[in-house]
């Protein structure tokens, strides 16, 4: 029996651009991998935003790139702070039983420091939690407070020569932080998966404007598309297949999707719900429900963008506000995001698409997988899967051209095959 | 001191047409009235539908017609079965302390039989309830079961010469039934208001096509407007001021409003809510929440019209389904429609508009009114008023051109003055 290397990637592909293509090739090379498995978020993303096009179109992009098997990260993990996003995604890769490596991008590009930090934080959570509470009490946002607290814990333990500032700067970079959480998750899962990291090339995660001839961040690409309204402006940064898929989706009225397309349903919900009801939604805490109530009558255009702008404070990051509003739109309860429920991990491996090699992997997974592998929404009845189906229906409901097919495509669509 | 006759009308004016103008003039004449007060539903109506244009535009129509004072029927009563609709509206007229007559339209046009029935039903509710339970058990809709049960109770007591069929036919006509409930309400309120009825002229309530040169039902008028998309087709049935106001509202993007404009927010809510949550909405009972869940994936166009069509059975009338969906859209809980809360009646007299004579009435009401008179939404803090404000915000949120002003016009708009 020959052991093959299979590299796992955790992606959003919103949309899949030249930077992603570079990462994919490098990841395969570095892992010496024969195949690649991607865990991809569905129609809503980690920063609390709708994807530009739906998960089926983005699965096609992944398969065109050369990914062999695409699995859906349940929305319960996809729209979560880094800690849970990472936990869900790493657990899925681990549950396949076939993935040998996880390769993630990071600003630092160096594994040793992140690994040391992960070792410390995975075990010493008491000191970290105490430091975190102190940092939060200063009014800092959660990501900033976490970076500061983790840096303090790390420096106290002698990491980076005890240099708190160096550790904090490292962790304030979002992909370093996400990577750290992948490493912590792999440790907690006692996973045999080997982590690898690649330095991100050419563009910062959140750069709003391209700064290289062919590589731009997904944020910059989306801005070119939704800002100018034309795909041509973004063409230089996208593989031809992405361009083609986007063109087809837009022409069919399934995109481009962005938050303001959800203004009507979101506001309808915010306006109709009593504050107690809003308070029951995930991440809605510290009286944010009353702040929303107070801010609503000040709106001029009544768009989500305007609402987030009015709600923004030092404490409530853009991302946190968007996620909270998204949970409200999707009907995610506080309970759905409870530690007990989330730490149990995903309950299924949902296949969105595969090619021939992917089909062989699926065959192998019949023996190795630690979770049921499902290829159709009707295969399983589970609240976690129900949340995925509902999220996709709410997403499709806001498309320029709404159809019943798109609303419940989860029940009707077989995995995409290439 | 001279006692003046003031006639009260209970209206929706959706939109105000020539038949309403006839009723107004006749009501004033029959009551020998010096002034007219209208209790008008806000943006949503008794049959569970959005009004064609908002309450402010319809208040203008009422004032142009010659109504002196327009009061808003709280949405808690406006979107309810006949019994509670009538109770809320009659209670408001009674609470003004100035209204001497209530004049309602009916198919029969004769008061004595309806009054006898009211006298019987207001006191003998035991026999009626038993008969009602029996009729409902046959699978009949509530209105049909009520008509049959009331007819049996009435005939048993010797009314209409004991002719059950005659009594049932009388009560199956919707305006007779509504009128009966006004009469019951006035009795229960021990109101001094004198009831009058006028036979409806020229057009049945629900006629879909006009059958007279200048009188058409509101349903027929709306169909001409939303079906053909043009106001010209409906012009012959409308006073010139209605036409002008509709033209202005449509041009400003505040109409025409109809259920399908709410498809996106309603579906978003239906898709995101768990069945337990849906079950907590007013009028959502007998497992209707599961029926909705089952029917959703069968949709083709995903419009409210299509959904109601798929949900329709002998038991669930069109009206009942529309109201239930509206309660879900507006976040109306079961508790909001409880007998304890509704039997307490409205908690305020909300002024939507008035003319000079109306201003004198308001002056007089400072002494006579049994409830606080409010002219701005900010004048009072009460859950019932909050529901009105939220309903209007959800309504405005679905307008062709959404603006923050329209969403919270309740806070910004002084009563309309003519």
């Amino acid at each position: 029996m020959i052991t093959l290397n299979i590299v796992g990637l955790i992606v959003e592909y919103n949309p899949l651009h030249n930077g992603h293509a570079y990462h994919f090739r490098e990841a395969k090379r570095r892992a010496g991998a024969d195949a690649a498995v991607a865990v991809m978020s569905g129609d809503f993303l980690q920063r609390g935003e709708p994807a530009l096009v739906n998960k089926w179109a983005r699965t096609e992009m992944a398969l065109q790139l050369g990914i062999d098997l695409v699995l859906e990260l349940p929305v319960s993990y996809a729209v979560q702070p880094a800690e849970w996003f990472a936990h869900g995604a790493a657990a899925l890769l681990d549950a396949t039983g076939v993935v040998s490596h996880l390769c993630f991008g990071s600003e630092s590009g160096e594994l040793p420091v992140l690994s040391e930090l992960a070792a410390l934080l995975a075990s010493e959570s008491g000191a970290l939690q105490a430091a975190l509470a102190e940092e939060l009490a200063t009014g800092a946002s959660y990501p900033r407070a976490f970076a500061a607290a983790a840096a303090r814990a790390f420096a106290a333990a002698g990491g980076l020569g005890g240099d708190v500032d160096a550790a904090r700067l490292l962790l304030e970079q979002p992909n370093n932080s996400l990577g750290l959480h992948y490493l912590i998750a792999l440790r907690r899962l006692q996973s045999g998966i080997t982590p690898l990291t690649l330095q991100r090339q050419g563009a910062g995660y959140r750069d709003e404007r391209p700064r290289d001839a062919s590589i731009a961040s997904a944020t910059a690409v989306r801005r070119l598309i939704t800002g100018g309204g034309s795909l041509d402006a973004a063409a230089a940064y996208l593989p031809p297949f992405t361009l083609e898929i986007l063109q087809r989706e837009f022409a069919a009225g399934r995109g481009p999707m962005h938050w303001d397309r959800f203004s009507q349903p979101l506001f309808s919900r915010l306006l109709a719900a009593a504050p107690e009801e809003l308070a029951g939604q995930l991440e809605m805490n510290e009286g944010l429900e009353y702040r929303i109530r107070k801010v609503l009558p000040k709106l001029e255009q009544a768009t989500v963008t305007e609402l987030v702008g009015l709600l923004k404070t030092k404490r409530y990051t853009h991302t946190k506000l968007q996620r909270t509003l998204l949970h409200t739109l999707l009907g995610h309860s506080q309970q759905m995001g409870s530690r007990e429920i989330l730490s149990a991990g995903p309950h299924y491996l949902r296949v969105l698409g595969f090619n021939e090699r992917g089909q062989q992997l699926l065959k192998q997974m019949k023996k190795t997988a630690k979770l049921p592998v499902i290829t159709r929404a009707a295969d399983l009845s589970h609240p976690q899967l129900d949340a995925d189906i509902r999220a996709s229906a709410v997403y499709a409901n806001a498309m320029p051209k709404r159809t019943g097919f798109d609303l419940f495509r989860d029940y009707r669509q077989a995995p995409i095959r290439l």
Side-chain angles (χ1 to χ4, degrees), chain A:
Chain A
M1 190 176 158
I2 304 157
T3 308
L4 298 174
N5 280 353
I6 315 279
V7 68
L9 304 176
I10 298 168
V11 304
E12 292 190 329
Y13 289 161
N14 185 39
L16 194 155
H17 57 63
N18 292 338
H20 294 126
Y22 168 84
H23 180 89
F24 165 73
R25 286 190 303 269
E26 277 299 292
K28 275 192 87 168
R29 192 183 61 77
R30 284 274 301 280
D34 306 282
V37 174
V39 165
M40 190 181 80
S41 302
D43 294 332
F44 294 98
L45 309 176
Q46 204 251 329
R47 293 175 68 202
E49 285 170 342
L52 190 63
V53 289
N54 70 22
K55 60 191 181 192
W56 303 108
R58 283 156 43 241
T59 295
E60 268 185 82
M61 294 175 193
L63 295 173
Q64 291 278 2
L65 175 64
I67 300 281
D68 301 292
L69 175 62
V70 183
L71 302 173
E72 180 172 358
L73 180 63
V75 68
S76 321
Y77 294 95
V79 182
Q80 285 285 355
E83 178 188 358
W84 290 119
F85 175 90
H87 180 76
L92 272 192
L93 288 177
D94 186 64
T96 62
V98 298
V99 170
S100 59
H101 293 75
L102 159 59
C103 186
F104 60 88
S106 62
E107 290 83 0
S108 88
E110 304 201 10
L111 205 58
V113 177
L114 292 175
S115 291
E116 256 187 86
L117 249 164
L120 177 81
L121 299 178
S123 56
E124 256 214 56
S125 72
L128 177 70
Q129 291 306 322
L132 186 58
E134 275 177 42
E135 296 290 340
L136 281 172
T138 69
S141 69
Y142 188 91
R144 203 167 266 274
F146 179 85
R152 278 169 55 188
F154 189 52
L160 279 174
D163 186 343
V164 179
D165 283 346
R168 188 174 48 75
L169 286 174
L170 182 85
L171 287 176
E172 277 186 355
Q173 293 183 285
N175 289 282
N176 289 341
S177 171
L178 200 54
L180 171 67
H181 286 294
Y182 292 140
L183 298 172
I184 294 174
L186 290 178
R187 282 185 166 267
R188 292 200 175 142
L189 292 162
Q190 302 184 290
S191 172
I193 292 177
T194 306
L196 297 170
T197 189
L198 289 174
Q199 192 167 25
R200 292 173 66 88
Q201 293 298 309
Y205 180 46
R206 300 204 211 176
D207 287 353
E208 301 197 350
R209 269 176 252 162
R211 37 179 210 192
D212 176 285
S214 70
I215 307 264
S217 75
T219 305
V221 168
R222 286 196 303 279
R223 192 142 314 207
L224 286 171
I225 293 170
T226 56
S230 151
L231 278 170
D232 297 347
Y237 310 102
L238 303 175
F241 58 79
T242 292
L243 204 62
E244 217 170 280
I245 292 168
L246 290 178
Q247 268 159 349
R248 185 199 63 203
E249 292 297 302
F250 295 178
R254 290 191 289 268
M257 299 296 284
H258 48 82
W259 245 128
D260 288 346
R261 289 212 61 83
F262 296 83
S263 298
Q264 220 205 349
L266 177 68
F267 278 87
S268 198
R269 179 68 185 134
L270 291 176
L271 295 165
E276 313 83 78
E277 272 183 277
L278 290 185
Q281 303 298 298
L282 188 52
E283 293 199 51
M284 188 76 77
N285 39 35
E286 301 175 357
L288 184 55
E289 68 276 17
Y290 290 102
R291 199 170 149 71
I292 289 174
R293 269 298 164 108
K294 227 174 88 183
V295 151
L296 284 177
K298 294 180 187 157
L299 294 164
E300 304 277 336
Q301 280 83 40
T303 63
V304 179
T305 306
E306 188 191 11
L307 176 63
V308 173
L310 287 175
L311 290 173
K312 181 89 188 60
T313 63
K314 187 178 149 209
R315 178 59 156 270
Y316 299 126
T317 65
H318 199 82
T319 297
K320 147 94 184 167
L321 287 168
Q322 288 193 145
R323 268 205 310 263
T324 309
L325 293 175
L326 189 52
H327 293 313
T328 305
L329 179 71
L330 298 179
H332 291 172
S333 66
Q334 296 278 7
Q335 207 231 339
M336 179 170 159
S338 71
R339 188 159 281 272
E340 302 92 273
I341 286 191
L342 289 177
S343 56
H347 289 267
Y348 48 89
L349 291 154
R350 170 89 190 272
V351 179
L352 290 179
F354 54 87
N355 58 19
E356 250 179 69
R357 214 165 354 178
Q359 194 166 14
Q360 288 163 15
L361 288 177
L362 285 172
K363 223 177 201 173
Q364 212 178 323
M365 282 163 61
K366 284 188 182 166
K367 292 178 217 146
T368 62
K370 302 173 193 167
L371 292 172
V373 176
I374 62 174
T375 52
R376 284 181 182 273
D379 286 354
L380 186 80
S381 172
H382 193 284
Q384 208 173 64
L385 182 61
D386 191 45
D388 293 345
I389 294 166
R390 291 192 284 139
S392 284
V394 170
Y395 179 89
N397 184 53
M399 285 178 177
K401 287 193 190 142
R402 309 161 62 253
T403 69
F405 174 81
D406 285 310
L407 251 61
F408 288 95
R409 190 160 168 180
D410 268 320
Y411 286 119
R412 306 179 189 189
Q413 174 78 55
I416 310 277
R417 301 186 64 159
L418 197 75

